[in-house]
Amino acid sequence: MIGAMAHSAPTPRRAPVDERRRGFPAWIWPVYVLLFGASVPWYLPGDAPLRIWLGLPHWVVISLAATAAVAVFTAFVVHRLWPEE
Amino acid sequence: MTDSLGGGAVIAVGLYLTAILGVGYAARRRRTGESLADFYLAGRQLTGPVLLLTLYATQYSGNTLIGYPGEAYRLGFSWVMSVGFMMAIIVAYLLYAPRLHRLARQHRFVTPGDWLAHRFRSPALTLLANLLLIAAISNYLLAQLMAMGHITAGLSGGAVPYWAGVVLLTLVVLVYETVGGMRAVAWTDLVQGLMLVTGLTGLLLAAVPGPSHVADVTAWLAVEAPEKVAVPGWDACRNWFSTLALIGFSGAVYPQAVQRIYAARDSAALRRSFGIMVFLPMVTTGPVFLVGVLAIERLAAAGPVAGDQVLPLLLTEWGSSSPLLYVLSLIVIVAVVSAIMSTADSVLLSLSSMLAKDVLGTTVLRGADEARLTRAGKHVSWVLVAVLVGIALDPRITLWGLTELKMEILAQVAPLFILGVSWDRLTTRAALAGMITGTLLYGGLLAAGQPEPWNVHAGVVALLVNVAVCVAVTRFDPRPVRIDRSTGP
């Protein structure tokens, strides 16, 4: 299909309906894995001394920050990368 | 009710129930016919705040306000995972919702079974998946009915018995759901969603009396219950990852959520709803988590407390401490009742549609017109609820326990939606083999007394095997499915 298009008319500005992107771009999923991975404190030592940030244990604040990043990233994804109909 | 919450709670809940019945009646006047799409999908015209708040009120149930504080009370700060796993549901929607919405409008889907029949063209697969979905959400409905009883009995100190709460609130849901269908459910969800937000604000104000209170309790916990503030170990983290996967994938394929994806007026409405929904765990499960953690110190003098009783105890205590907290407690009570009813009505409607269209409509009522199926669905709702109320009157399991069971069953159906929509090559044989293997494995692990092998939910282990079977069988299937490119899978 791609080869045939290379020898024919110039690439159309919009792909035909059936060929348009039908899902989100693949690169968003590794980003989600990273963000959700950061929201679980598996990378912090279990015997780390308790530090209190904003009234909460530090690892809770880190987890909430990663979760907030998931929300912000998702807002970007749905508003900018939503698949066309 | 008790001396502390007394008649005020009865009046507040009574006013709320009256308002909800009025909204249900108003929705009935807007109906445009007796078609299945009009009754079960509000004519596919949900948009704006109604779509957002019906998704919201449906996703957050009585369990969110009653079961989750109990989990935070039991586990401590690691229950912060509840914010992430509710967000994971929205992320999982992105895997299939945009395309399924388009296909649903194109092919006039009403039930989740319509998608399965269209995609896989296998009555056996559709039947088995429907049975699993019906089993899972019947369980969910049962949890809501139990929550109705717990909240009334807990807040009244037993003056309003558990059974009376179950029966009264269920009756109200049945009435407005029967007269107005999805339109009534969505409109009442609008009111219930707003009540939920208001109640959560009240909850937070009541639980956090001063700016240093959270830090004080954290320091107290570090001394009195250090395991509840310590960084979770690798075992606990594995369970955390497992919960993210379990709730994310399962929550995204609730039949009632799938039907809201069908019911959205257009993709812009869906997009806007998801864009806001993803932030809502931070203002919903976030405050609830905090309240549960703070309750560890607050209820320390009361000795060990059952998870489901944490919020009722807190409300009763706040209600007796000051007039302001009394009013806030009333708001929270109405919010809890709203959360329970908004989920119960959506689940009931979904069950009714599946039983009427996918079960009766393909057997004893094959060939019946839509008006007759719609009427049959209403009758089925009443029978089903009568059975579930009977079971709810003899509860033997906690709300969170019921939620986990339901989620693990739903997880075995998730690949039919997520892989079915996003992976054209998935064959019917592979999907069926995966679902059967996953379900049997899950059942086997439970029967063997292994609900969480290696601290991973049995349902997640089964889901991994389910997906592996889907991939392997598709790869080696000599007769791959023929893809209809003009309409998608």
Side-chain angles (χ1 to χ4, degrees):
Chain A
M1 177 85 180
I2 293 170
M5 287 174 66
H7 295 290
S8 59
T11 307
R13 291 171 68 114
R14 289 173 69 95
V17 172
D18 290 345
E19 298 301 321
R20 277 186 224 160
R21 178 162 53 76
R22 296 195 296 179
F24 292 96
W27 62 264
I28 69 168
W29 305 116
V31 174
Y32 275 122
V33 170
L34 284 175
L35 292 176
F36 276 115
S39 76
V40 182
W42 57 274
Y43 46 84
L44 295 174
D47 55 357
L50 178 69
R51 279 167 286 168
I52 296 180
W53 295 351
L54 305 170
L56 300 167
H58 67 291
W59 58 272
V60 174
V61 177
I62 295 170
S63 175
L64 284 171
T67 311
V70 171
V72 172
F73 181 64
T74 303
F76 164 76
V77 166
V78 299
H79 289 299
R80 296 300 176 97
L81 304 173
W82 190 270
E84 292 180 66
E85 288 197 31
Chain B
M1 297 259 170
T2 59
D3 292 342
S4 52
L5 293 172
V10 175
I11 292 168
V13 173
L15 284 174
Y16 162 75
L17 294 179
T18 308
I20 285 294
L21 284 171
V23 171
Y25 179 71
R28 178 186 167 82
R29 294 168 63 89
R30 289 286 296 271
R31 69 180 173 174
T32 56
E34 288 292 329
S35 72
L36 290 166
D38 191 72
F39 188 76
Y40 288 117
L41 300 180
R44 300 178 202 277
Q45 291 299 315
L46 293 186
T47 186
V50 177
L51 179 63
L52 171 67
L53 285 168
T54 189
L55 275 166
Y56 174 64
T58 301
Q59 186 166 337
Y60 294 90
S61 63
N63 187 44
T64 312
L65 285 176
I66 300 182
Y68 286 16
E71 283 302 296
Y73 173 83
R74 186 174 69 84
L75 294 176
F77 279 104
S78 64
W79 190 244
V80 72
M81 73 172 81
S82 61
V83 182
F85 68 58
M86 294 308 283
M87 227 173 254
I89 296 176
I90 311 298
V91 175
Y93 281 142
L94 302 185
L95 288 163
Y96 79 95
R99 195 173 178 197
L100 184 61
H101 169 72
R102 180 171 61 79
L103 291 168
R105 296 193 74 79
Q106 198 172 350
H107 299 287
R108 319 300 296 167
F109 299 156
V110 174
T111 63
D114 288 341
W115 152 252
L116 300 174
H118 170 81
R119 169 64 171 87
F120 297 105
R121 303 185 194 286
S122 161
L125 181 146
T126 305
L127 176 67
L128 180 57
N130 270 329
L131 287 177
L132 290 175
L133 289 172
I134 288 169
I137 64 171
S138 296
N139 192 350
Y140 197 24
L141 183 54
L142 177 61
Q144 303 314 306
L145 303 186
M146 286 169 55
M148 291 173 182
H150 280 307
I151 195 69
T152 45
L155 292 174
S156 65
V160 177
Y162 172 88
W163 70 265
V166 174
V167 172
L168 173 69
L169 299 186
T170 304
L171 208 57
V172 173
V173 168
L174 262 178
V175 168
Y176 71 71
E177 185 255 338
T178 307
V179 300
M182 169 73 101
R183 196 170 281 106
V185 167
W187 286 17
T188 52
D189 281 351
L190 178 73
V191 178
Q192 288 158 338
L194 290 173
M195 287 310 307
L196 187 54
V197 171
T198 311
L200 284 164
T201 310
L203 194 60
L204 205 56
L205 289 173
V208 186
S212 64
H213 182 67
V214 177
D216 292 344
V217 172
T218 303
W220 180 86
L221 281 171
V223 175
E224 301 293 332
E227 73 284 0
K228 292 183 177 175
V229 292
V231 179
W234 176 231
D235 278 352
C237 286
R238 261 203 318 280
N239 192 258
W240 188 327
F241 277 120
S242 170
T243 310
L244 281 175
L246 178 68
I247 307 283
F249 290 122
S250 306
V253 298
Y254 280 142
Q256 63 272 24
V258 170
Q259 287 184 297
R260 276 156 180 74
I261 291 168
Y262 294 173
R265 190 172 73 185
D266 50 36
S267 66
L270 204 56
R271 195 175 66 223
R272 279 194 290 270
S273 293
F274 288 166
I276 298 173
M277 275 278 286
V278 76
F279 287 95
L280 296 183
M282 296 165 73
V283 293
T284 308
T285 41
V288 169
F289 143 74
L290 197 56
V291 167
V293 169
L294 297 178
I296 302 170
E297 184 261 352
R298 180 97 187 187
L299 300 178
V305 173
D308 295 346
Q309 291 304 314
V310 170
L311 186 68
L313 275 174
L314 284 176
L315 291 176
T316 311
E317 196 177 310
W318 290 331
S320 59
S321 55
S322 78
L324 176 63
L325 286 179
Y326 176 80
V327 173
L328 288 176
S329 296
L330 293 186
I331 292 170
V332 176
I333 290 167
V334 176
V336 173
V337 174
S338 296
I340 297 167
M341 292 175 70
S342 63
T343 303
D345 60 16
S346 308
V347 175
L348 181 60
L349 192 70
S350 209
L351 271 171
S352 156
S353 71
M354 293 162 71
L355 290 169
K357 187 167 188 298
D358 297 344
V359 178
L360 296 180
T362 56
T363 52
V364 294
L365 293 181
R366 184 191 293 271
D369 63 26
E370 295 205 353
R372 188 163 175 216
L373 286 177
T374 303
R375 279 197 303 278
K378 294 177 186 178
H379 297 149
V380 163
S381 299
W382 286 79
V383 173
L384 183 74
V385 161
V387 172
L388 290 177
V389 164
I391 299 172
L393 294 182
D394 183 23
R396 293 173 191 274
I397 190 167
T398 66
L399 291 179
W400 176 246
L402 275 177
T403 298
E404 283 195 316
L405 274 177
K406 170 254 300 177
M407 287 296 186
E408 300 193 56
I409 297 171
L410 276 176
Q412 308 318 316
V413 186
L416 303 181
F417 291 89
I418 295 173
L419 286 182
V421 168
S422 59
W423 189 30
D424 290 348
R425 288 185 57 208
L426 176 68
T427 66
T428 299
R429 194 181 311 188
L432 185 58
M435 177 170 53
I436 291 172
T437 311
T439 305
L440 290 177
L441 179 59
Y442 171 58
L445 285 169
L446 277 192
Q450 293 287 333
E452 292 192 357
W454 314 289
N455 264 20
V456 175
H457 295 87
V460 173
V461 175
L463 174 62
L464 290 171
V465 173
N466 180 340
V467 171
V469 169
C470 284
V471 172
V473 176
T474 295
R475 192 172 173 83
F476 297 109
D477 196 330
R479 292 181 299 170
V481 71
R482 187 175 62 81
I483 303 299
D484 178 0
R485 287 284 175 192
S486 63
T487 60

